[in-house]
Amino acid sequence: MARLIFLGPPGAGKGTQADTLAHLCNIPHISTGDILRGAVAQKTDLGMKAQSYMDQGELVPDQLILDLVRDRLDQPEVETGWILDGFPRNVNQAIFLDHLLQEIEQTCDRVVNLEVPDEVLVARLLSRGRRDDNEEVIRNRLQVYREQTAPLIDFYRDRQKLVSVNGNRSIEQVNAELQQITRGIKH
Ligand code: ADP
């Protein structure tokens, strides 16, 4: 059982690591980015509303994300734990999550902050080549991260939840450290 939030800039490896760890721990990996990309591909109402923000590297309006996260965390299969990846992404979303978790009587165990230098991030994202991975949009996503998401590092440090992990190592090395962190969680 583990309840984890993965924090970190775009390209830090959150998705890759969250996927592996979620399989190992047998808990769902909830990626708001993946959910939104699925909605865009299926041209749902949510997808239509989200697409232009995503293409520009801006955050999608909170209102669209909050309903989605509430629905997801309200499902029975997440009672054994979860990894949130890409959420919360600003202070308002973090406060919403605090309240939601209180309401459903859950607590987050750790917030993993994956640290990777900017120049490595840009190189990784350019080589990935997703639709929103061109240089201009990448620069904007990094700036949005610094302005809106990075303040969550202090937010969770103040709440004694933060664990920083050096993400500028091999996938296996990072994964080994994350497994160690997960094993250290006591319920
Ligand atoms: P990355 O980690 O590479 O930035 P994600 O897959 O997490 O990519 O997100 C891609 C895009 O989806 C973001 O640039 C943003 O537009 C949107 N998005 C994802 N999660 C959120 C969120 N919690 N709040 C607002 N927008 C989000």
Side-chain angles (χ1 to χ4, degrees):
M1 148 74 99
R3 297 189 181 112
L4 303 171
I5 294 171
F6 276 27
L7 201 64
K14 299 184 298 288
T16 309
Q17 294 297 341
D19 235 4
T20 312
L21 195 66
H23 273 105
L24 281 168
C25 300
N26 201 20
I27 53 177
H29 167 200
I30 304 172
S31 158
T32 46
D34 284 351
I35 295 171
L36 290 172
R37 276 185 290 280
V40 170
Q42 290 177 16
K43 298 193 162 55
T44 64
D45 199 34
L46 169 68
M48 310 281 238
K49 288 182 181 146
Q51 181 163 21
S52 62
Y53 298 96
M54 296 172 75
D55 285 348
Q56 291 168 53
E58 293 293 328
L59 295 187
V60 167
D62 285 350
Q63 185 208 337
L64 296 179
I65 300 287
L66 300 183
D67 288 345
L68 176 164
V69 170
R70 178 190 294 279
D71 287 349
R72 199 68 182 76
L73 284 181
D74 233 0
Q75 288 173 20
E77 92 250 16
V78 305
E79 273 168 27
T80 54
W82 36 257
I83 300 179
L84 277 177
D85 156 19
F87 180 90
R89 228 181 180 94
N90 60 31
V91 172
N92 186 43
Q93 293 182 5
I95 292 170
F96 167 90
L97 180 63
D98 260 10
H99 292 152
L100 175 61
L101 291 179
Q102 268 175 30
E103 208 177 292
I104 59 179
E105 296 179 352
Q106 296 187 11
T107 46
C108 154
D109 298 306
R110 300 275 189 284
V111 177
V112 174
N113 179 32
L114 270 182
E115 296 181 313
V116 177
D118 272 11
E119 62 277 14
V120 178
L121 295 173
V122 177
R124 283 185 186 178
L125 292 167
L126 282 174
S127 70
R128 186 167 73 176
R130 206 170 67 192
R131 179 191 170 100
D132 56 348
D133 283 341
N134 67 69
E135 184 134 16
E136 197 189 329
V137 176
I138 289 172
R139 299 265 169 223
N140 194 36
R141 276 157 59 205
L142 284 173
Q143 195 181 340
V144 168
Y145 167 78
R146 272 186 229 108
E147 287 172 5
Q148 303 198 45
T149 312
L152 296 182
I153 296 173
D154 282 339
F155 182 94
Y156 286 116
R157 190 185 286 119
D158 290 347
R159 285 163 176 71
Q160 271 98 46
K161 298 278 187 201
L162 195 79
V163 200
S164 285
V165 170
N166 173 7
N168 193 16
R169 292 177 295 168
S170 74
I171 291 179
E172 293 74 20
Q173 281 171 322
V174 175
N175 193 256
E177 185 169 347
L178 293 176
Q179 285 186 55
Q180 211 171 29
I181 289 168
T182 311
R183 277 195 292 269
I185 295 171
K186 303 268 180 292
H187 285 280

